[in-house]
Amino acid sequence: MEARIAAPGGDDVKTRLAAILQQQRKAQLLSGPPPAETRIDRMDRLLALIRGNAKSLADAVADDYGHRSREETMIADVAASVESLEHARRHLRGWMKDKRRGVRFPLGILGARAWIRFQPKGVIGVISPWNFPVNLAVSPLAGVLAAGNRAMLKPSEFTPATSALLARLFRETFDETEVAVVTGGVEVGTAFSRLPFDHLVFTGATGVARKVMSAAAESLVPLTLELGGKSPVIVSRSADLNDAALKVMAGKLFNAGQVCLAPDYALVPAEQLESFAAKCQEAAAQLYPRLQDNPDYSAIIHDGHAKRLQEYVGDALSMGARVIEINPGREDFGDPSNRKFPPALILGSTDAMKIMQEEIFGPLLPLRPYQRIEEAIAEVNGRARPLALYYFGRDAVEEEQVLNMTVSGGVTLNDILLHATVEDLPFGGIGPSGMGRYHGVHGFREFSHAKAVYRQSRAKAVVEFFRPPYGERTRKRIATLARLR
Ligand code: NAD
């Protein structure tokens, strides 16, 4: 199918996409909401697709990146996808059950009933990015399929080998009316986001999300936007600095910083800033003693992103920042063709620098001083609401203050990224870092229509008071209902 979709000609693309959507919608209307067995069968087939092709998927991702750590692909793409699917599979029957709701007195005791029925929304579009090209396609699909929907997936053009492999594997595993994969770049993405889906999940950049949201507005398509932003780390005076430095650098350098949840900048007590910087350098060297030929250290996805990171460094240097490059093996990074980018700490950054204005999405980490915890909190609150926030410390009062006084999609205390690995927690941003949520039951509910159902009591007298002609008995009832006396 991808060959047909990738063919040039905007109208061909639109027609083909619209045809797939129409076929899926027709099939869904004919079949009605699929029973648990059908949903489990779809998830089982997807599980088998991932497990049976883990090696080829890791090869394809490595091909796309130039170099991508195989273990990183296995952890964040393969194992994470399996976890989402297995969790959904395990809990599905409980999630699908109608949920009874209370009916106010006296209707409830007279036999009136109310409940929520979770109904599949229908056909759901999924647009995914390149940084975890398998998991960010499959993990939303776990919720989409668990909720009984059909799906169209548009993976990223920046991972052409992975996207082509996913297209082939899905075609072999699913009927096109169950899950269809369409590949292509911005043109296909634009046409895709204009389709009148029953719901659209977009994972990608905040700037692109604005376009997706305005395209979806044409048909009032409900959206889940999974975006990025500048996720802060707050290092408390009560923190174990060695532990914090190791975890911050491990989180920062995973996939060479190309993670939506990567720490984007760290706020450190002013008097500990130099010491923390030294510990971060030691930690990075311990994790990656060499970089160029180290199979654990991933490359930057493409030259454009490597150039962007180089520009952030140049801009910061030209405006007076101190850049501490971490190159423990004293390797030569002169050859840009392999796209390995050395980590660096940036001290003395200001808000005028690009590095403090844009999401970094690479192995650069500004360290910024603070005096009082209130200043650190104010700095976080002065910026767009982030996808994640990290707090390192042992001070319970301060921890509570940070939790209460900042707003972020999620929080991990005393580590990095881990809240996103708990399938039972909602995953998503807030404001410019995203809207809506998925993972576990939260995904099931996001991709279901929570239909309100009410069945009336057979006791006639109960509602008669509220029908005209109104009289004294009605007014008395209203007074009781509204507790007017
Ligand atoms: P991107 O926004 O450039 O691309 C994402 C997808 O959107 C791709 O499939 C692309 O083809 C498509 N696209 C591009 N232009 C489009 C348009 N005009 N209309 C419709 N679709 C279009 O993002 P990216 O560079 O692939 O990924 C990096 C970004 O994604 C970062 O900002 C990162 O923080 C974010 N991200 C967020 C999460 C999350 O779960 N919150 C996860 C991973 C990445």
Side-chain angles (χ1 to χ4, degrees), residues 206 227-233 252 259-267 308 312 349-351 353-362 364-366 368 379-381 383-390 407-409 432-433:
T206 299
L227 315 177
K230 296 189 82 60
S231 297
V233 177
K252 181 72 201 180
V259 181
C260 56
L261 292 156
D264 196 274
Y265 63 98
L267 299 166
R308 180 183 59 82
Y312 288 178
S349 61
T350 67
D351 288 354
M353 296 173 187
K354 281 188 187 143
I355 198 145
M356 286 313 299
Q357 293 171 355
E358 312 280 337
E359 177 183 17
I360 296 174
F361 226 59
L364 309 172
L365 183 67
R368 293 164 71 89
E379 161 135 20
V380 171
N381 289 337
R383 299 179 189 282
R385 290 174 165 179
L387 183 61
L389 180 142
Y390 304 107
V407 185
S408 59
S433 60

Short mmCIF file of all heavy atoms in Angstrom, two decimals, residues 206 227-233 252 259-267 308 312 349-351 353-362 364-366 368 379-381 383-390 407-409 432-433:
data_model
loop_
_atom_site.label_atom_id
_atom_site.label_comp_id
_atom_site.label_asym_id
_atom_site.label_seq_id
_atom_site.Cartn_x
_atom_site.Cartn_y
_atom_site.Cartn_z
N THR A 206 5.58 20.83 18.84
CA THR A 206 4.52 21.78 19.17
C THR A 206 4.16 22.64 17.96
O THR A 206 2.98 22.90 17.70
CB THR A 206 4.98 22.65 20.37
OG1 THR A 206 5.22 21.77 21.47
CG2 THR A 206 3.94 23.67 20.77
N LEU A 227 3.21 16.17 22.76
CA LEU A 227 4.24 17.08 22.27
C LEU A 227 5.47 17.07 23.18
O LEU A 227 5.64 16.15 23.96
CB LEU A 227 3.63 18.48 22.12
CG LEU A 227 2.24 18.49 21.45
CD1 LEU A 227 1.65 19.88 21.40
CD2 LEU A 227 2.29 17.88 20.05
N GLY A 228 6.28 18.08 23.05
CA GLY A 228 7.51 18.08 23.84
C GLY A 228 7.61 19.35 24.68
O GLY A 228 6.64 19.77 25.27
N GLY A 229 8.78 19.95 24.68
CA GLY A 229 8.97 21.19 25.44
C GLY A 229 10.23 21.12 26.27
O GLY A 229 11.06 20.22 26.09
N LYS A 230 10.34 22.08 27.19
CA LYS A 230 11.55 22.15 28.00
C LYS A 230 11.27 21.59 29.39
O LYS A 230 10.76 22.29 30.27
CB LYS A 230 12.02 23.61 28.08
CG LYS A 230 12.44 24.18 26.72
CD LYS A 230 13.10 25.53 26.80
CE LYS A 230 14.58 25.48 27.14
NZ LYS A 230 15.41 24.75 26.19
N SER A 231 11.58 20.31 29.57
CA SER A 231 11.32 19.65 30.85
C SER A 231 12.45 19.94 31.84
O SER A 231 13.61 19.59 31.58
CB SER A 231 11.17 18.14 30.64
OG SER A 231 10.05 17.87 29.82
N PRO A 232 12.12 20.55 32.98
CA PRO A 232 13.18 20.95 33.91
C PRO A 232 13.54 19.86 34.92
O PRO A 232 12.74 18.98 35.23
CB PRO A 232 12.55 22.13 34.65
CG PRO A 232 11.08 21.84 34.63
CD PRO A 232 10.80 21.03 33.38
N VAL A 233 14.77 19.98 35.43
CA VAL A 233 15.20 19.20 36.59
C VAL A 233 15.43 20.20 37.71
O VAL A 233 16.07 21.23 37.48
CB VAL A 233 16.54 18.49 36.33
CG1 VAL A 233 17.01 17.73 37.57
CG2 VAL A 233 16.46 17.56 35.14
N LYS A 252 19.51 12.13 30.17
CA LYS A 252 19.80 13.11 29.11
C LYS A 252 20.41 12.44 27.89
O LYS A 252 20.14 12.83 26.76
CB LYS A 252 20.75 14.18 29.66
CG LYS A 252 21.12 15.26 28.67
CD LYS A 252 19.95 16.19 28.43
CE LYS A 252 20.05 16.96 27.14
NZ LYS A 252 18.91 17.85 26.92
N VAL A 259 14.65 12.58 23.14
CA VAL A 259 13.54 11.98 23.89
C VAL A 259 12.64 13.13 24.32
O VAL A 259 13.13 14.13 24.84
CB VAL A 259 14.07 11.23 25.15
CG1 VAL A 259 12.94 10.58 25.91
CG2 VAL A 259 15.13 10.21 24.78
N CYS A 260 11.32 12.97 24.11
CA CYS A 260 10.42 14.08 24.47
C CYS A 260 10.51 14.40 25.96
O CYS A 260 10.28 15.53 26.37
CB CYS A 260 8.99 13.73 24.09
SG CYS A 260 8.40 12.20 24.82
N LEU A 261 10.84 13.38 26.78
CA LEU A 261 10.88 13.54 28.23
C LEU A 261 12.28 13.86 28.75
O LEU A 261 12.50 13.91 29.96
CB LEU A 261 10.40 12.25 28.90
CG LEU A 261 8.94 11.89 28.74
CD1 LEU A 261 8.75 10.39 28.92
CD2 LEU A 261 8.09 12.64 29.75
N ALA A 262 13.25 14.04 27.86
CA ALA A 262 14.63 14.26 28.32
C ALA A 262 14.71 15.53 29.16
O ALA A 262 14.02 16.51 28.87
CB ALA A 262 15.54 14.41 27.11
N PRO A 263 15.55 15.52 30.20
CA PRO A 263 15.74 16.77 30.95
C PRO A 263 16.27 17.82 30.00
O PRO A 263 17.21 17.57 29.24
CB PRO A 263 16.82 16.41 31.98
CG PRO A 263 17.03 14.95 31.90
CD PRO A 263 16.41 14.43 30.66
N ASP A 264 15.65 18.99 29.99
CA ASP A 264 16.05 20.02 29.02
C ASP A 264 16.98 21.05 29.66
O ASP A 264 17.82 21.62 29.00
CB ASP A 264 14.79 20.70 28.47
CG ASP A 264 15.07 21.49 27.20
OD1 ASP A 264 15.47 22.66 27.32
OD2 ASP A 264 14.93 20.93 26.11
N TYR A 265 16.79 21.30 30.96
CA TYR A 265 17.72 22.16 31.70
C TYR A 265 17.63 21.77 33.17
O TYR A 265 16.62 21.20 33.59
CB TYR A 265 17.42 23.66 31.50
CG TYR A 265 16.07 24.12 32.00
CD1 TYR A 265 15.94 24.73 33.25
CD2 TYR A 265 14.92 23.94 31.24
CE1 TYR A 265 14.69 25.16 33.72
CE2 TYR A 265 13.67 24.36 31.70
CZ TYR A 265 13.57 24.96 32.94
OH TYR A 265 12.34 25.37 33.41
N ALA A 266 18.70 22.05 33.92
CA ALA A 266 18.70 21.67 35.34
C ALA A 266 18.93 22.91 36.19
O ALA A 266 19.81 23.73 35.89
CB ALA A 266 19.77 20.62 35.61
N LEU A 267 18.11 23.03 37.24
CA LEU A 267 18.24 24.13 38.19
C LEU A 267 18.93 23.58 39.43
O LEU A 267 18.46 22.61 40.04
CB LEU A 267 16.85 24.67 38.53
CG LEU A 267 16.08 25.23 37.32
CD1 LEU A 267 14.60 25.42 37.63
CD2 LEU A 267 16.71 26.53 36.86
N ARG A 308 21.33 22.04 13.77
CA ARG A 308 20.55 22.85 14.71
C ARG A 308 21.23 22.86 16.09
O ARG A 308 21.38 23.91 16.72
CB ARG A 308 19.13 22.25 14.82
CG ARG A 308 18.18 22.94 15.76
CD ARG A 308 16.84 22.21 15.82
NE ARG A 308 16.96 20.83 16.27
CZ ARG A 308 17.05 20.43 17.52
NH1 ARG A 308 17.01 21.31 18.49
NH2 ARG A 308 17.17 19.15 17.83
N TYR A 312 22.86 25.96 18.29
CA TYR A 312 22.55 26.31 19.69
C TYR A 312 23.85 26.57 20.46
O TYR A 312 23.94 27.52 21.24
CB TYR A 312 21.78 25.18 20.39
CG TYR A 312 20.34 24.99 19.96
CD1 TYR A 312 19.58 23.96 20.51
CD2 TYR A 312 19.73 25.82 19.04
CE1 TYR A 312 18.25 23.76 20.14
CE2 TYR A 312 18.41 25.63 18.65
CZ TYR A 312 17.67 24.59 19.20
OH TYR A 312 16.37 24.39 18.82
N SER A 349 23.94 30.31 30.84
CA SER A 349 22.96 30.56 29.77
C SER A 349 22.01 31.68 30.20
O SER A 349 21.78 31.89 31.40
CB SER A 349 22.17 29.29 29.48
OG SER A 349 21.46 28.90 30.63
N THR A 350 21.48 32.38 29.21
CA THR A 350 20.46 33.40 29.49
C THR A 350 19.23 33.09 28.63
O THR A 350 19.32 32.33 27.67
CB THR A 350 20.95 34.82 29.12
OG1 THR A 350 21.09 34.87 27.70
CG2 THR A 350 22.25 35.17 29.80
N ASP A 351 18.12 33.74 28.99
CA ASP A 351 16.88 33.48 28.25
C ASP A 351 16.93 34.02 26.83
O ASP A 351 16.07 33.67 26.02
CB ASP A 351 15.68 34.08 28.99
CG ASP A 351 15.38 33.28 30.25
OD1 ASP A 351 16.02 32.22 30.44
OD2 ASP A 351 14.51 33.71 31.04
N MET A 353 19.23 33.27 24.79
CA MET A 353 19.89 32.24 23.96
C MET A 353 18.87 31.23 23.44
O MET A 353 17.95 30.85 24.15
CB MET A 353 20.95 31.51 24.78
CG MET A 353 22.08 32.41 25.23
SD MET A 353 23.19 31.57 26.36
CE MET A 353 24.25 32.93 26.85
N LYS A 354 19.14 30.77 22.19
CA LYS A 354 18.22 29.78 21.58
C LYS A 354 18.07 28.56 22.46
O LYS A 354 16.98 27.97 22.54
CB LYS A 354 18.78 29.35 20.21
CG LYS A 354 18.51 30.35 19.12
CD LYS A 354 18.91 29.79 17.78
CE LYS A 354 18.80 30.88 16.73
NZ LYS A 354 19.84 30.83 15.72
N ILE A 355 19.16 28.18 23.11
CA ILE A 355 19.14 26.95 23.90
C ILE A 355 18.14 27.02 25.07
O ILE A 355 17.68 26.00 25.57
CB ILE A 355 20.56 26.62 24.40
CG1 ILE A 355 20.63 25.16 24.81
CG2 ILE A 355 21.01 27.52 25.55
CD1 ILE A 355 21.90 24.49 24.53
N MET A 356 17.79 28.27 25.48
CA MET A 356 16.79 28.41 26.54
C MET A 356 15.42 28.79 25.98
O MET A 356 14.47 29.02 26.72
CB MET A 356 17.24 29.44 27.58
CG MET A 356 18.34 28.95 28.50
SD MET A 356 18.08 27.28 29.21
CE MET A 356 16.58 27.48 30.14
N GLN A 357 15.33 28.85 24.65
CA GLN A 357 14.04 29.21 24.05
C GLN A 357 13.37 28.01 23.38
O GLN A 357 12.16 27.90 23.36
CB GLN A 357 14.23 30.32 23.01
CG GLN A 357 14.65 31.62 23.67
CD GLN A 357 15.06 32.68 22.65
OE1 GLN A 357 15.11 32.40 21.46
NE2 GLN A 357 15.35 33.86 23.14
N GLU A 358 14.20 27.13 22.81
CA GLU A 358 13.66 25.99 22.05
C GLU A 358 13.87 24.70 22.84
O GLU A 358 14.77 24.62 23.67
CB GLU A 358 14.44 25.84 20.72
CG GLU A 358 14.62 27.13 19.93
CD GLU A 358 13.38 27.48 19.12
OE1 GLU A 358 12.60 26.55 18.85
OE2 GLU A 358 13.20 28.67 18.81
N GLU A 359 13.06 23.71 22.52
CA GLU A 359 13.29 22.36 23.05
C GLU A 359 14.63 21.89 22.48
O GLU A 359 14.88 22.02 21.28
CB GLU A 359 12.16 21.43 22.57
CG GLU A 359 12.33 19.99 23.01
CD GLU A 359 11.20 19.10 22.43
OE1 GLU A 359 10.52 19.52 21.48
OE2 GLU A 359 11.03 17.99 22.95
N ILE A 360 15.52 21.33 23.32
CA ILE A 360 16.88 21.02 22.83
C ILE A 360 16.89 19.74 21.98
O ILE A 360 17.44 19.71 20.90
CB ILE A 360 17.87 20.93 24.01
CG1 ILE A 360 17.97 22.32 24.67
CG2 ILE A 360 19.24 20.47 23.53
CD1 ILE A 360 18.78 22.37 25.94
N PHE A 361 16.32 18.68 22.47
CA PHE A 361 16.22 17.42 21.72
C PHE A 361 17.58 16.94 21.22
O PHE A 361 17.76 16.58 20.06
CB PHE A 361 15.24 17.58 20.54
CG PHE A 361 14.28 16.42 20.44
CD1 PHE A 361 13.44 16.10 21.50
CD2 PHE A 361 14.21 15.63 19.30
CE1 PHE A 361 12.56 15.03 21.42
CE2 PHE A 361 13.33 14.55 19.21
CZ PHE A 361 12.51 14.27 20.27
N GLY A 362 18.55 16.97 22.11
CA GLY A 362 19.92 16.54 21.80
C GLY A 362 20.70 16.53 23.10
O GLY A 362 20.18 16.90 24.16
N LEU A 364 22.66 18.25 24.90
CA LEU A 364 23.15 19.49 25.52
C LEU A 364 22.31 19.78 26.76
O LEU A 364 21.08 19.66 26.71
CB LEU A 364 23.01 20.67 24.54
CG LEU A 364 23.59 20.45 23.14
CD1 LEU A 364 23.20 21.61 22.22
CD2 LEU A 364 25.10 20.31 23.22
N LEU A 365 22.97 20.18 27.83
CA LEU A 365 22.22 20.42 29.08
C LEU A 365 22.65 21.73 29.75
O LEU A 365 23.74 21.80 30.34
CB LEU A 365 22.43 19.25 30.06
CG LEU A 365 21.64 19.35 31.36
CD1 LEU A 365 20.14 19.23 31.11
CD2 LEU A 365 22.10 18.30 32.36
N PRO A 366 21.81 22.76 29.70
CA PRO A 366 22.10 23.97 30.46
C PRO A 366 21.93 23.71 31.96
O PRO A 366 20.93 23.11 32.38
CB PRO A 366 21.05 24.97 29.97
CG PRO A 366 20.53 24.41 28.68
CD PRO A 366 20.64 22.93 28.83
N ARG A 368 21.59 25.77 35.47
CA ARG A 368 21.30 27.15 35.88
C ARG A 368 21.22 27.23 37.40
O ARG A 368 20.63 26.34 38.04
CB ARG A 368 19.99 27.60 35.25
CG ARG A 368 20.12 27.72 33.73
CD ARG A 368 18.80 27.79 33.05
NE ARG A 368 18.07 29.03 33.25
CZ ARG A 368 18.18 30.11 32.49
NH1 ARG A 368 19.03 30.11 31.48
NH2 ARG A 368 17.48 31.19 32.72
N GLU A 379 11.02 30.03 38.07
CA GLU A 379 11.62 29.88 36.72
C GLU A 379 10.81 28.86 35.90
O GLU A 379 10.50 29.10 34.73
CB GLU A 379 13.08 29.44 36.85
CG GLU A 379 13.58 28.84 35.55
CD GLU A 379 14.95 29.30 35.09
OE1 GLU A 379 15.71 29.81 35.92
OE2 GLU A 379 15.22 29.14 33.88
N VAL A 380 10.44 27.75 36.52
CA VAL A 380 9.64 26.74 35.81
C VAL A 380 8.30 27.36 35.39
O VAL A 380 7.86 27.21 34.24
CB VAL A 380 9.41 25.50 36.71
CG1 VAL A 380 8.41 24.54 36.08
CG2 VAL A 380 10.73 24.79 37.00
N ASN A 381 7.68 28.08 36.31
CA ASN A 381 6.36 28.65 36.02
C ASN A 381 6.42 29.81 35.03
O ASN A 381 5.40 30.18 34.45
CB ASN A 381 5.68 29.09 37.32
CG ASN A 381 5.25 27.89 38.15
OD1 ASN A 381 5.08 26.78 37.60
ND2 ASN A 381 5.11 28.05 39.44
N ARG A 383 7.98 29.67 32.28
CA ARG A 383 8.07 29.08 30.93
C ARG A 383 6.80 28.31 30.62
O ARG A 383 5.96 28.09 31.48
CB ARG A 383 9.26 28.11 30.86
CG ARG A 383 10.58 28.77 31.12
CD ARG A 383 11.74 27.81 31.08
NE ARG A 383 12.92 28.51 31.55
CZ ARG A 383 13.62 29.37 30.83
NH1 ARG A 383 13.30 29.58 29.57
NH2 ARG A 383 14.65 30.00 31.33
N ALA A 384 6.70 27.87 29.35
CA ALA A 384 5.54 27.08 28.94
C ALA A 384 5.47 25.81 29.79
O ALA A 384 6.52 25.25 30.17
CB ALA A 384 5.67 26.72 27.47
N ARG A 385 4.27 25.35 30.08
CA ARG A 385 4.12 24.16 30.93
C ARG A 385 4.77 22.94 30.26
O ARG A 385 4.44 22.61 29.12
CB ARG A 385 2.64 23.91 31.19
CG ARG A 385 2.09 24.97 32.12
CD ARG A 385 0.62 24.87 32.32
NE ARG A 385 0.24 25.67 33.47
CZ ARG A 385 -1.01 25.79 33.90
NH1 ARG A 385 -1.99 25.17 33.28
NH2 ARG A 385 -1.27 26.53 34.96
N PRO A 386 5.68 22.28 30.99
CA PRO A 386 6.46 21.21 30.35
C PRO A 386 5.78 19.85 30.40
O PRO A 386 4.84 19.62 31.16
CB PRO A 386 7.74 21.19 31.18
CG PRO A 386 7.30 21.65 32.54
CD PRO A 386 6.14 22.58 32.35
N LEU A 387 6.32 18.93 29.58
CA LEU A 387 5.81 17.56 29.54
C LEU A 387 6.17 16.82 30.84
O LEU A 387 5.39 16.05 31.37
CB LEU A 387 6.42 16.83 28.33
CG LEU A 387 5.96 15.40 28.07
CD1 LEU A 387 4.46 15.35 27.81
CD2 LEU A 387 6.71 14.82 26.87
N ALA A 388 7.40 17.06 31.33
CA ALA A 388 7.84 16.37 32.55
C ALA A 388 8.59 17.35 33.45
O ALA A 388 9.11 18.37 32.99
CB ALA A 388 8.75 15.20 32.20
N LEU A 389 8.62 17.00 34.74
CA LEU A 389 9.46 17.74 35.68
C LEU A 389 10.14 16.70 36.56
O LEU A 389 9.52 15.68 36.91
CB LEU A 389 8.60 18.69 36.53
CG LEU A 389 9.37 19.52 37.56
CD1 LEU A 389 8.80 20.94 37.65
CD2 LEU A 389 9.38 18.89 38.94
N TYR A 390 11.40 16.97 36.90
CA TYR A 390 12.15 16.04 37.73
C TYR A 390 12.64 16.77 38.97
O TYR A 390 13.15 17.89 38.87
CB TYR A 390 13.34 15.47 36.93
CG TYR A 390 12.86 14.81 35.65
CD1 TYR A 390 13.07 15.42 34.41
CD2 TYR A 390 12.15 13.62 35.69
CE1 TYR A 390 12.59 14.84 33.25
CE2 TYR A 390 11.67 13.04 34.53
CZ TYR A 390 11.89 13.65 33.31
OH TYR A 390 11.40 13.08 32.16
N VAL A 407 3.16 22.99 37.34
CA VAL A 407 2.21 22.21 36.54
C VAL A 407 2.97 21.63 35.35
O VAL A 407 3.54 22.36 34.54
CB VAL A 407 1.04 23.09 36.04
CG1 VAL A 407 0.02 22.23 35.31
CG2 VAL A 407 0.39 23.83 37.19
N SER A 408 3.01 20.30 35.30
CA SER A 408 3.68 19.63 34.17
C SER A 408 2.86 18.39 33.84
O SER A 408 2.04 17.95 34.65
CB SER A 408 5.10 19.23 34.56
OG SER A 408 5.08 18.36 35.69
N GLY A 409 3.11 17.82 32.64
CA GLY A 409 2.38 16.61 32.26
C GLY A 409 2.54 15.52 33.31
O GLY A 409 1.57 14.91 33.75
N PRO A 432 1.07 23.76 25.99
CA PRO A 432 1.95 23.60 24.83
C PRO A 432 2.70 22.26 24.80
O PRO A 432 3.30 21.93 23.79
CB PRO A 432 2.95 24.75 24.98
CG PRO A 432 2.35 25.66 25.98
CD PRO A 432 1.46 24.87 26.85
N SER A 433 2.69 21.50 25.91
CA SER A 433 3.34 20.18 25.85
C SER A 433 2.34 19.08 25.51
O SER A 433 2.71 17.91 25.43
CB SER A 433 4.09 19.87 27.16
OG SER A 433 3.23 19.88 28.26
#
